Every structure is written in structure tokens, then in C-alpha cells.
Amino acid sequence: MLDNADFKHLYDKFSTHPDWFDAELAKKGAIAYRRYPLTLVWLLRNVALMAGYSIPALSIPLVKTGALVHDALGRLYRTYAYMLAVSEHPKLTGSDTVLAIGGEAWRQSIQVRQMHSFVRQSLEKEGWDNEYWGSPVNQSDMIATHLQFSLLIMRGLKWLGARISPEEAEGILHLWNLATYWMGVDLERLPKTEAECWEWLYTYLATQRLDFEVGRPLAKALHDLPSEIMGGTNWRGQAVELINASVTRTFVGDDVGDGLKLPKPIWRKGILVSAPILFTMDTVRRIHPRFEQGIEIFREKRQQNMNWWLNKNDPYYANKKPRQ
């Protein structure tokens, strides 16, 4: 197969880290990214994903596959697991570097790239309007998704009180640049600095025509998960849904919340009371190593809960050998 020029190009691309990749910078970003496990999934669910559902170019391919409507919980867990895989670092894995060749993030990035290829071919066979939408899962849409997982989540962490240094912020973007590059985005298209990322994102949004009707089934499936898990009459599930809607409205805006028909609690801005709490925890973590160890134990327990579901319901994770 190496006689095929296209396959040889892919083989070379995945065999080594590119020359521009700074492993130490990416490691600092990975450590900072994984520091806030509960907040990370909170922002993934209620900021990154919900914001994307308001953009038809991002939501139409998801709607047409049907998976995110009928398997919302599984998709949320798998996406979160991929985010954690990208941010694994040597202290956790024993590898020589973050985003190690042959590591979990490397494997899953290849799988995501393959899945994107299948979706792209399938949608184009079904009569996708390339002239109007561009190719499905195209370069710009993948960069927008990259910024959902890196820039938006990082900004959300800062707004909630997380102490992320400028170097750590640069490392988070650098980390996701490699993952996105592995998934097929041309390197010259990727914004490199935080300022360039915001400029790129605002330009992208300025060219998009929001159509909330397209993304509402996705938003509803994601919003209704707590009640589905805990029971439709369980007050805790309903309370979690209101908190989740408050996060979306506070960080993404009432226009998106209204468009996706999310609840509008009158106390939704109260979610910002968590900012001084997280800031205080982050400050104590820097002073007392034992407190940081406690956070790491909490993160591991939460990940075990996620892994339990994935190991039971997803063949990929069920067939993986546990890490020694």
C-alpha cells in the first residue's frame, strides 16, 4: 500500500510528530486542560455543543447521521473520552510525550478522520448541496469544531474562575492543533495564537446563517438526558436540566437559548457564583499539594464512572486492555 502516493502521505503524517510540534508546550496545555474534570464536561455539553447546534453547517451532518439524536448519551461520553485522550500527558500514561504516536489520542484521531470520510462520502451520495454548504465536514467546519473544544472551553474555564496562565492557554491551543491536523485540517489554515483564533471564529460566524430549527432535535436530545437517566418525574434531573440551560444562556446567549427552545430560569446568571469557588480551589491547589492530589482522585473517580458506561455499551472501550 505504500506504493500508493496518497496512502504514503498519510502513513508519513501519522508516523512521527511534525517538526512544528512543541511537546513541552503541549504538555503544559494538557495538564491545565485536565485540571477541571467536572467543569470540562459541563462546558463541553452546555457551551461547545449547544453553540455548535445553532450553526446549520455543523448541525445538518449530525442530524442526517441520526446518531446524536438517538444516542445522545453515548455520543456525549465518547466525545468527552476523546477530549481526555487528547489531553493525556506522560504523568498519566507513562509515555515519553503528550499525544504519543500509537497512543489513545493518536488512535482515536485516526478513527475520527476515517468516520468523517465515511460521513462525507455518504452525504454527497445522498445529494448534498456542495455549492451552497461546501463539502460536508469541510476544513472550516472542522476548525470551528477544534475551537469549540479548545478556545471556547478554555474561555469558559477562565470565566468560571480557573487560573490558566498565558503559556498554558497557548499550550491548550497547540495541543488541539496537532489533534486537528491529524484529523485532516491543512496546517496553514489553523490559527496559531488566541487572538488569531478569536479573529477566525468571528469571521466564521459572520459568514454563517443561523437556523435554530435544524439544531433543535440535537439540543433537545442533549438537554433531556438528565430526566431520561434519573426519571422524568425526578426533581434532581429537572434541576440539572435547568442548571445546564443556565450555563448555555449565560455563556452562549439568550438568543441561542431561545432559538434552541431551552428553559429560561430567572436565576440563570446565578451560575456565575461558581467562579469565586473555582478560583479559590485553584488558588489552594497551588499552595497545598495534598489538595491537588484530592482533585486528581476526584477526577479519576469521575472518569471511572464514564468508563463504566463506555466499557458496558461501546465495543471499542469494552475490548480495550486496561492500562497497567
Side-chain angles (χ1 to χ4, degrees), residues 42 45-46 220 222-245 263 267:
W42 219 25
R45 173 197 189 119
N46 303 311
K220 177 173 172 49
L222 190 60
H223 170 75
D224 292 348
L225 278 181
S227 289
E228 290 183 11
I229 296 171
M230 302 179 192
T233 59
N234 190 304
W235 67 269
R236 289 179 297 178
Q238 296 172 0
V240 171
E241 289 176 358
L242 291 177
I243 292 173
N244 289 338
W267 42 264

Side-chain angles (χ1 to χ4, degrees), residues 45 80 91 121 191 230 264 298:
R45 173 197 189 119
Y80 182 54
K91 183 179 178 181
Q121 293 176 18
M230 302 179 192
K264 192 174 184 178
F298 169 77

Side-chain angles (χ1 to χ4, degrees), residues 127-156:
W128 179 269
D129 189 349
N130 278 29
E131 183 176 351
Y132 185 78
W133 293 112
S135 298
V137 199
N138 58 50
Q139 293 278 307
S140 293
D141 294 344
M142 285 194 288
I143 295 175
T145 303
H146 151 46
L147 296 181
Q148 285 175 268
F149 292 165
S150 56
L151 183 71
L152 291 186
I153 285 182
M154 179 174 64
R155 176 54 61 92

